[in-house]
Amino acid sequence: MIKRKCCLTLVLLLTACASSPPVFDETFSSSEIAAMTSEYFNLDTRAAGLALKPTYAKYGAPHIFISGNMSAADDQSNRLHGVGQSAAKLEASESVYWLVTGEDLPAQSRVIKTAHLIYDKVKIESLEDVLSSVGSLSRRGQIFTVFEREADGQIVVTLHLTDDLPKNASLDTIQFSPL
């Protein structure tokens, strides 16, 4: 009788487990982003994780990671053009173009390695708290400079190696489009 009850319990448990669909997280964990960032910038994973820690505390996990290069396409010191690859867990990788406007940006065509973390505002938990503190934020660290801004229904967090941009540079707007 006990054996029969155990078998019945096991069958019910397995049936319950089999009927619940697997949960797939469409966002990137902090360790995944740290690994992708460190690989792209050829830096230590721990340094990338530390640079992104405040971003994760504020917004959580991003939905899209974009890495690529940008530079000035002309002599203007207020625009940079970039091209890179967009990575999302539930979508195929695609080529992306972006335009950044700001102040004191380099006017020469030197290549600047860039990464963007993209957060879809409608998917961020505790949306009211997050949006009350979104703005043009710049954090200069020893390795990375991090810019945060709101653009087209998304929160965009942009990373550059600190040495690649002038100290007074600001990134004011950003626009993305597929290639």
Side-chain angles (χ1 to χ4, degrees):
M1 184 71 161
I2 293 176
K3 200 177 203 182
R4 190 174 185 187
K5 283 185 181 180
C6 287
C7 286
L8 183 59
T9 304
L10 182 60
V11 167
L12 289 173
L13 183 61
L14 289 174
T15 303
C17 290
S19 64
S20 58
V23 177
F24 182 78
D25 188 1
E26 65 181 357
T27 60
F28 290 101
S29 70
S30 59
S31 60
E32 289 173 314
I33 291 293
M36 290 190 294
T37 302
S38 66
E39 182 180 331
Y40 180 67
F41 287 102
N42 196 23
L43 294 170
D44 179 58
T45 303
R46 187 175 183 284
L50 286 173
L52 295 170
K53 192 173 181 177
T55 299
Y56 266 84
K58 189 172 181 180
Y59 302 119
H63 301 92
I64 298 171
F65 177 80
I66 298 173
S67 59
N69 296 317
M70 68 179 189
S71 65
D74 47 40
D75 289 336
Q76 295 187 15
S77 62
N78 65 346
R79 290 191 314 196
L80 296 172
H81 303 267
V83 176
Q85 289 295 310
S86 171
K89 283 190 170 182
L90 300 176
E91 299 171 19
S93 176
E94 62 180 30
S95 296
V96 178
Y97 164 81
W98 66 88
L99 172 66
V100 170
T101 61
E103 298 295 323
D104 296 323
L105 301 175
Q108 69 273 18
S109 60
R110 181 175 53 93
V111 172
I112 301 169
K113 280 190 163 193
T114 306
H116 306 282
L117 306 181
I118 309 295
Y119 296 86
D120 197 346
K121 286 185 353 184
V122 298
K123 295 180 182 177
I124 295 178
E125 295 177 14
S126 67
L127 190 62
E128 295 81 22
D129 294 340
V130 169
L131 292 182
S132 66
S133 60
V134 170
S136 294
L137 171 70
S138 171
R139 287 192 311 272
R140 289 188 72 82
Q142 293 179 349
I143 297 174
F144 290 108
T145 295
V146 179
F147 294 94
E148 299 176 5
R149 75 190 79 50
E150 192 174 343
D152 299 325
Q154 299 174 321
I155 296 172
V156 180
V157 178
T158 302
L159 299 149
H160 304 280
L161 293 173
T162 296
D163 293 341
D164 284 350
L165 286 177
K167 290 185 184 197
N168 296 331
S170 68
L171 276 65
D172 300 329
T173 64
I174 189 165
Q175 297 172 328
F176 291 96
S177 62
L179 280 177

